[in-house]
Amino acid sequence: MAELQLRSVEKTYGNGFKAVHGINLDVKEGEFMVLVGPSGCAKSTTLRMIAGLETISCGEVRIGDQIVNDLVPGKRGIAMVFQNYALYPHMKVHRNLSFGLRLRGASRQTIQSSTDTVSGILEIEELLDRLPKQLSGGQAQRVALGRALIKQPEVFLFDEPLSNLDAKLRASMRVRITDLHKRLRDEGRPATVVYVTHDQVEAMTMGDRICVMKDGHIMQVADPVTLYERP
Ligand code: ADP
Ligand code: ADP
C-alpha cells in the first residue's frame, strides 16, 4: 500500500528561485523509479521534498493513502540513502544500524534479531564493532543501506548513492541493490524506490522506469528500453 504520488509539486527557495515547476509523478507500489537529468535540474530538491528534508511550496506528496506534506521525515515510512553515507561518526556500526529502531523504542530482542538479519543480507557481520572511519567506501555504503533496510520502510529514497565508489564497487553495489529490491518483492513486502543518479548505466540496468527532469520540469517517464534503445 505504498504508492508514491506527486501532484503539482512546486519548490520556490527562500531567495525566490523556483526550482521545481508543478511536477506530477506516480511511482507504483514496488516500482523502482530512477530520476535522471543534468546537474541543477532539481533531482535532489524533488527527493528531499519527498523525504521531508525540504518544505513543499505548493502541491501534494502522497505516500499510500496519506498526504505527507506536513509530516516529519520519521513519520513518512521512508528511509534515505545518501552519497556521503551520512553515518554517525561516533557510533559503531551496530549502533548506526539500529539507531532508527532505538528511536522507535524497539525491544532489545527486536534490535538484536533485526541487526543480525540485515547484517547477514549485506554481509557486514564482521564490521559491527567498527567505527565508520574504519570502513572502506564500499563497506560504509553497505552499512548505510543496512540502516535504511532495518527500518522496513515502504519507500526507499536514494540520492546518488554510488557516486563515491570506484567502477568495480559500483557495479557490484548495483547488483546488490537490484537483488535486494527483488528479494523484498518476493518476500511480499515490496519496496517503492526513487533513485537519483546521473549514471546512465545505473538508470538503464536498475530502473523499472526512468523519469527525466530538466530545469525543474519532468520531460518524460518511460521504461529503459523505450528511452535508450534507438531503432
Ligand atoms: P540536482 O539535484 O538536479 O543537481 P538540485 O535539486 O540540487 O539539482 O538544485 C536544483 C536548483 O535549485 C539548482 O538551480 C540549485 O542551484 C537550486 N538550489 C538548490 N538548493 C537551493 C537553496 N537552498 N536555495 C536556492 N537555490 C537552491
Ligand atoms: P529515523 O530516526 O527513523 O531514521 P528520522 O526522522 O531521523 O527517522 O529520519 C528519516 C530519514 O531522513 C532517515 O533516513 C534520515 O537519515 C533522514 N534524515 C533525517 N533528518 C535528516 C537531516 N537533517 N539531514 C539529512 N538526512 C536526514
Side-chain angles (χ1 to χ4, degrees):
M1 265 309 286
E3 187 178 11
L4 170 70
Q5 297 181 316
L6 275 59
R7 288 286 171 270
S8 309
V9 168
E10 295 189 1
K11 177 67 186 181
T12 306
Y13 277 110
N15 62 358
F17 177 72
K18 192 165 178 177
V20 176
H21 298 259
I23 58 171
N24 293 290
L25 182 66
D26 282 27
V27 188
K28 296 185 214 101
E29 178 179 67
E31 186 173 28
F32 200 117
M33 178 70 78
V34 177
L35 216 55
V36 299
S39 181
C41 72
K43 302 182 295 296
S44 179
T45 301
T46 300
L47 201 69
R48 293 171 64 83
M49 284 193 286
I50 299 168
L53 303 176
E54 202 74 74
T55 58
I56 298 158
S57 307
C58 207
E60 244 172 50
V61 174
R62 267 176 191 275
I63 297 177
D65 52 13
Q66 216 175 10
I67 297 169
V68 299
N69 288 43
D70 297 324
L71 295 182
V72 298
K75 298 265 184 241
R76 292 186 179 204
I78 57 118
M80 192 154 169
V81 179
F82 299 91
Q83 180 176 358
N84 61 4
Y85 324 128
L87 300 176
Y88 304 110
H90 58 289
M91 286 182 206
K92 288 183 174 177
V93 165
H94 71 90
R95 280 256 163 195
N96 264 286
L97 286 174
S98 61
F99 185 74
L101 294 183
R102 282 174 205 280
L103 275 193
R104 283 187 206 162
S107 69
R108 275 184 63 163
Q109 239 174 352
T110 305
I111 288 172
Q112 188 64 54
S113 67
S114 306
T115 305
D116 286 351
T117 306
V118 163
S119 50
I121 293 171
L122 292 168
E123 296 169 81
I124 51 177
E125 300 103 320
E126 310 298 315
L127 310 175
L128 291 175
D129 279 320
R130 293 200 197 171
L131 286 167
K133 66 174 182 227
Q134 299 168 312
L135 303 174
S136 70
Q139 291 170 336
Q141 196 51 295
R142 271 185 282 153
V143 174
L145 200 54
R147 196 176 55 175
L149 191 63
I150 205 169
K151 294 198 278 183
Q152 303 198 310
E154 297 190 305
V155 177
F156 282 87
L157 305 174
F158 291 92
D159 198 356
E160 308 225 10
L162 308 187
S163 303
N164 284 342
L165 304 178
D166 64 43
K168 203 172 151 203
L169 262 177
R170 262 206 313 274
S172 79
M173 283 297 289
R174 273 204 308 271
V175 174
R176 200 181 276 276
I177 293 172
T178 312
D179 285 353
L180 201 53
H181 184 248
K182 284 202 191 95
R183 175 180 176 143
L184 290 171
R185 191 183 285 169
D186 292 345
E187 287 175 0
R189 19 187 208 113
T192 307
V193 175
V194 182
Y195 186 105
V196 168
T197 184
H198 59 256
D199 183 324
Q200 191 169 322
V201 178
E202 283 175 32
M204 267 169 56
T205 56
M206 300 174 84
D208 292 320
R209 286 193 297 161
I210 299 170
C211 170
V212 185
M213 292 189 72
K214 191 176 174 220
D215 298 333
H217 296 273
I218 290 177
M219 309 307 288
Q220 198 177 1
V221 182
D223 64 84
V225 174
T226 311
L227 202 62
Y228 291 118
E229 276 197 2
R230 296 183 184 89

